[in-house]
Amino acid sequence: MNNLLRIFLQVLITTAVFAFGACDSGTNSERPGAGDGDADSDSDADSDGDSDSDSDVEEAELILPIERDDAYALELETTTGTLLFECTADNGGRITRFEFNDVNILVGPEDGSMFGATFWTSPQNWGWPPPDVFDNESYDVDVDESTGTIVLSSSDDNSTGVQIIKTFEANLAQNAIDITYTLRNTGDSTVSYSPWEISRVPEGGLTFFRQGSGGGSDNNYGTMDTQVVDGIVWYEHPLNTTSDNKLFDDSEDGWIAHTDGNLLFIKTFDQADEVPSSEGEIEIYATTGYVEVEQQGSYVALASGEELSWNLTWRLIDIPDNISVEAGSGDLVTLVDDAI
């Protein structure tokens, strides 16, 4: 009787251990689908929080070297093509090219002095032309190829009381470029500024953004024929403009986009709590030969030694053939929303 009881207990224990092990195996971190929180082996939890794959991208490869002749480049090889972000230490640490498959969305340096993308302080109480530190001075350069980072640093500027530091970093996971602009008060007195990025694109394109509650401004000048469709402001650039025209507006959700008809240039940015009364969070300036796509960050008072940093991300993607590229295109807006 005791032997039979012993055998019975051994069988019972063995069965319980086996059953417990089978249940516990479901917590193994290497199980299929563990990374996306579901029970299958795909990765359908994408960056925009839904269950589709519209904004999923495969990680890009950074092509070295970064330092190339007289320029510095973050070149990303993606599954759909080659993204090239190029800047120079000269011309105020200017961004000179933003290309996808050899097509530059910006006005290139071969097209005159008003090219590429630059950075200023707002309000524009420094008159014209801008201080040399903005557009003419040569910046110090620090490159880190292990992180895909370029840092451009200006000298201390007496006219504005600040030093400007521009950090450009390859975002391989998003096939994008992350940008941080830093203003550091190097003077003895408190100064107040908004950070201000200006990107110059060829005329004839289409720029759009989602209008915020502070939209519209009495500061507008010239002729800016815009349309507002479902909360999106659209500006079609006329060709051969002979006058200066400017729009001041407000952003709902921190992005502005531009297309030349084939490529979609998207800039996302930290939104402003307020900007100077003479300025706008979103600005578009149209003149002979080019258009400036601009945005500003929060208006901040900086005591001596203090600094502010402002974060942006640049994306440039090929527009699918089935997307309508025209003012009011809901598909084009969806393409932006999915990308960011």
Side-chain angles (χ1 to χ4, degrees):
M1 186 72 175
N2 290 338
N3 289 337
L4 289 175
L5 180 59
R6 189 180 304 110
I7 292 170
F8 174 78
L9 290 174
Q10 288 175 341
V11 170
L12 185 63
I13 291 170
T14 301
T15 302
V17 169
F18 178 83
F20 178 80
C23 293
D24 187 59
S25 65
T27 64
N28 191 315
S29 62
E30 296 180 359
R31 73 189 187 278
D36 60 7
D38 59 14
D40 60 18
S41 59
D42 63 14
S43 56
D44 55 10
D46 59 15
S47 60
D48 62 2
D50 59 17
S51 60
D52 60 20
S53 58
D54 52 13
S55 65
D56 292 335
V57 293
E58 293 188 24
E59 185 165 307
E61 177 187 358
L62 179 64
I63 306 300
L64 301 176
I66 289 176
E67 185 172 357
R68 306 180 183 185
D69 297 326
D70 296 326
Y72 301 86
L74 298 175
E75 183 176 356
L76 280 60
E77 193 64 38
T78 76
T79 56
T80 56
T82 302
L83 181 71
L84 177 68
F85 175 95
E86 182 186 271
C87 62
T88 177
D90 298 327
N91 303 112
R94 192 86 56 95
I95 300 170
T96 52
R97 298 186 184 280
F98 195 42
E99 298 181 355
F100 187 77
N101 289 342
D102 299 320
V103 178
N104 187 12
I105 197 69
L106 303 174
V107 174
E110 64 278 3
D111 294 321
S113 61
M114 305 299 283
F115 66 89
T118 189
F119 176 83
W120 297 340
T121 57
S122 170
Q124 192 175 337
N125 52 13
W126 31 262
W128 191 263
D132 283 344
V133 70
F134 292 167
D135 284 344
N136 296 317
E137 182 182 296
S138 183
Y139 281 37
D140 292 334
V141 184
D142 184 27
V143 171
D144 187 340
E145 291 192 337
S146 67
T147 59
T149 304
I150 304 166
V151 180
L152 305 178
S153 303
S154 77
S155 63
D156 298 347
D157 180 60
N158 293 331
S159 66
T160 58
V162 297
Q163 179 192 28
I164 297 172
I165 302 170
K166 305 179 180 184
T167 303
F168 308 128
E169 183 173 0
N171 185 332
L172 302 181
Q174 291 296 315
N175 295 187
I177 304 297
D178 291 335
I179 298 174
T180 300
Y181 294 111
T182 301
L183 286 175
R184 179 177 296 146
N185 184 352
T186 56
D188 297 326
S189 303
T190 296
V191 295
S192 297
Y193 292 120
S194 283
W196 183 6
E197 184 189 64
I198 299 93
S199 304
R200 299 184 179 109
V201 297
E203 62 183 357
L206 176 66
T207 300
F208 59 102
F209 59 94
R210 185 171 281 117
Q211 189 175 49
S213 58
S217 171
D218 294 333
N219 296 328
N220 294 353
Y221 59 82
T223 302
M224 297 294 291
D225 292 327
T226 60
Q227 303 177 49
V228 182
V229 181
D230 296 329
I232 305 296
V233 178
W234 302 85
Y235 175 63
E236 294 185 80
H237 308 178
L239 295 172
N240 304 314
T241 297
T242 58
S243 60
D244 295 337
N245 311 276
K246 190 151 191 179
L247 170 75
F248 299 82
D249 217 311
D250 182 54
S251 169
E252 171 67 25
D253 46 5
W255 62 262
I256 186 168
H258 167 79
T259 176
D260 62 357
N262 298 302
L263 296 177
L264 181 61
F265 176 26
I266 308 168
K267 302 197 290 183
T268 57
F269 54 92
D270 291 344
Q271 287 198 258
D273 295 325
E274 66 170 327
V275 296
S277 59
S278 58
E279 306 290 343
E281 185 180 25
I282 294 287
E283 299 184 3
I284 303 173
Y285 172 71
T287 190
T288 305
Y290 65 91
V291 173
E292 293 180 345
V293 180
E294 313 171 10
Q295 73 282 345
Q296 298 192 16
S298 289
Y299 191 37
V300 175
L302 299 175
S304 179
E306 290 186 336
E307 64 181 38
L308 68 83
S309 291
W310 186 43
N311 301 307
L312 303 84
T313 297
W314 280 22
R315 294 174 173 86
L316 187 62
I317 58 179
D318 198 22
I319 299 176
D321 292 338
N322 64 337
I323 298 295
S324 173
V325 181
E326 60 183 357
S329 172
D331 289 341
L332 202 55
V333 177
T334 298
L335 192 61
V336 173
D337 287 334
D338 287 346
I340 64 176

